[in-house]
Amino acid sequence: MENQKLFCTLSFVGTAYCGYQVQKVGVTVQQKLNEAARAVFGTECDIIGCSRTDSGVHANMFCITVSERGQGYLKTSIPTERIPLALNAHLPRDIAILSASWVPKNFHPRYDVRHKEYRYLIWNSPIRDPFREGLAHSYPHVLDADAIARMNLACEAFLGEHDFAAFMAQGSKVTSTVRCIYGAKVTKNDNLITFTVSANGFLYNMVRIMAGTLIAVAEEKISPSDIPEILKSRDRSLAGSTLPACGLYLNQVVYGF
Amino acid sequence: MENQKLFCTLSFVGTAYCGYQVQKVGVTVQQKLNEAARAVFGTECDIIGCSRTDSGVHANMFCITVSERGQGYLKTSIPTERIPLALNAHLPRDIAILSASWVPKNFHPRYDVRHKEYRYLIWNSPIRDPFREGLAHSYPHVLDADAIARMNLACEAFLGEHDFAAFMAQGSKVTSTVRCIYGAKVTKNDNLITFTVSANGFLYNMVRIMAGTLIAVAEEKISPSDIPEILKSRDRSLAGSTLPACGLYLNQVVYGF
């Protein structure tokens, strides 16, 4: 439509991809979306994503805009409700467009995010689950209810606005390392531990370092009461290790419109 | 142990395998188990499974016995609780031994089954779920509560002892086509339809043909009240189509011991 960009939600299994963003080397989700959009709309498109997910990271919900290259809008005669099926027919089976709608030309899928929610899944058993291969991080030592309670105490210390420099991977360039955490909690159902965290934004590897820190809290290597000091220190070496990408899911993206 | 066979439960994602049973062509689950048992126990082993699952069929629970080739028993110095981890270290990531215990030499994992439960999963949405690729059959036309209710009426007609010749694939050789169904039901949670059925035994492709018949019932091509006549007819052409292997899971195996 004139003056409108196409807005799509999608989900993908990240295992086969070198992250979302197009790179010089390696297949990315954005590249597959570019190919599908070209096939469906008959023109080169600019595709902008809500986040630069890492290699192997999954998305239950990811958002993109699609516009004609250099134009900022998209024209198509395809009825909006048919667009997901049309794009899916040209996408690999590990990526699916879930919905399509229209947004103003000035909407930006990354800058206009109000908050995002990530999940980090941990398969907590000495016995692996073949159905979760590549879809959860495996932590074999079984964590009891006390350990989960300690992890939740640490989660409470993350809430609110803090400088998360200690929870950011080296080599990332951002103007501010202050982020506001709206929610953080750990649940355990059978052998599956889920860490859910929402914030107004996330630093590079932040969720994976938070999850690694929670494991250190479960192991009593870090106390929940240490978290405020680790935050204040801005020292990456005081937080826990970075857990693998395979457990991480972008779960929800909320816009201010 | 002398006079004892090893009994193991396992789960596997069947996508990569030409079924459970060793064949002349194609990689099977049994072949991978043979290789792992040889590596762990240092001898060729006889591995007997509870069922001959088809190519692409999955198992949440599958049972095997392991004994030294031609001996009917297994000797090992490995502590029983370490055996799953030892075998898993030699198995591909899509197969996992869940537990190990010991059973008498005369125990047979197929003949001694009291009942087995299968599940058939249907992803019921025009939009595919990348996380269920190869793990559920995709049926795009959304089925409403009335359709699910009709499927459950048809399930009731399956209960009890019947001749299931109409629900058996051609070319299978069995002495009797009579089986007793202990439970059969259909549930729908969000977009996932689950057909669960337990019986004292199943004929070749029986669950996949039952699932296909339930879809025909949902589509009002077959009425629930037609099921008794289809059973009586022993005519395969009157039942529904055989749904794909990817939706089928061996879910539970119960023994009489």
Side-chain angles (χ1 to χ4, degrees), chain A residues 11-13 58-60 84-85 88 91-98 126-128 130-131 133 135 249, chain B residues 11-13 58-60 84-85 88 91-98 126-128 130-131 133 135 249:
Chain A
S11 73
F12 57 83
V13 180
H58 315 295
N60 291 322
L85 299 174
N88 287 340
L91 283 167
R93 307 287 300 177
D94 48 10
I95 304 174
I97 302 290
L98 305 177
I127 302 291
R128 64 175 175 248
F131 293 95
E133 269 304 302
L135 298 173
Y249 293 70
Chain B
S11 72
F12 57 83
V13 180
H58 315 293
N60 291 322
L85 299 175
N88 287 340
L91 283 167
R93 307 288 299 178
D94 49 10
I95 305 175
I97 303 290
L98 305 177
I127 302 290
R128 64 177 176 248
F131 293 96
E133 268 306 301
L135 298 173
Y249 293 70

Side-chain angles (χ1 to χ4, degrees), chain A residues 16-29 31-32 55:
Chain A
Y17 301 100
C18 296
Y20 170 74
Q21 197 100 338
V22 165
Q23 298 181 345
K24 279 180 188 156
V25 181
V27 180
T28 65
V29 175
Q31 182 183 325
K32 293 293 172 190
S55 189

Side-chain angles (χ1 to χ4, degrees), chain A residues 92-182:
Chain A
R93 307 287 300 177
D94 48 10
I95 304 174
I97 302 290
L98 305 177
S99 71
S101 57
W102 296 93
V103 290
K105 212 173 155 176
N106 64 354
F107 174 85
H108 194 288
R110 192 158 73 247
Y111 305 146
D112 291 349
V113 169
R114 185 168 284 181
H115 71 261
K116 276 190 281 196
E117 182 181 274
Y118 277 93
R119 287 205 170 150
Y120 196 91
L121 303 190
I122 298 169
W123 180 248
N124 186 216
S125 167
I127 302 291
R128 64 175 175 248
D129 179 351
F131 293 95
R132 294 196 188 272
E133 269 304 302
L135 298 173
H137 170 55
S138 202
Y139 182 79
H141 181 72
V142 176
L143 299 176
D144 62 13
D146 285 350
I148 303 297
R150 278 197 301 282
M151 292 166 92
N152 273 312
L153 278 177
C155 280
E156 284 178 32
F158 287 137
L159 296 177
E161 194 169 84
H162 303 285
D163 187 334
F164 281 91
F167 294 83
M168 179 177 71
Q170 305 297 314
S172 46
K173 288 166 198 146
V174 282
T175 47
S176 166
T177 50
V178 173
R179 295 291 183 276
C180 186
I181 307 287
Y182 301 126

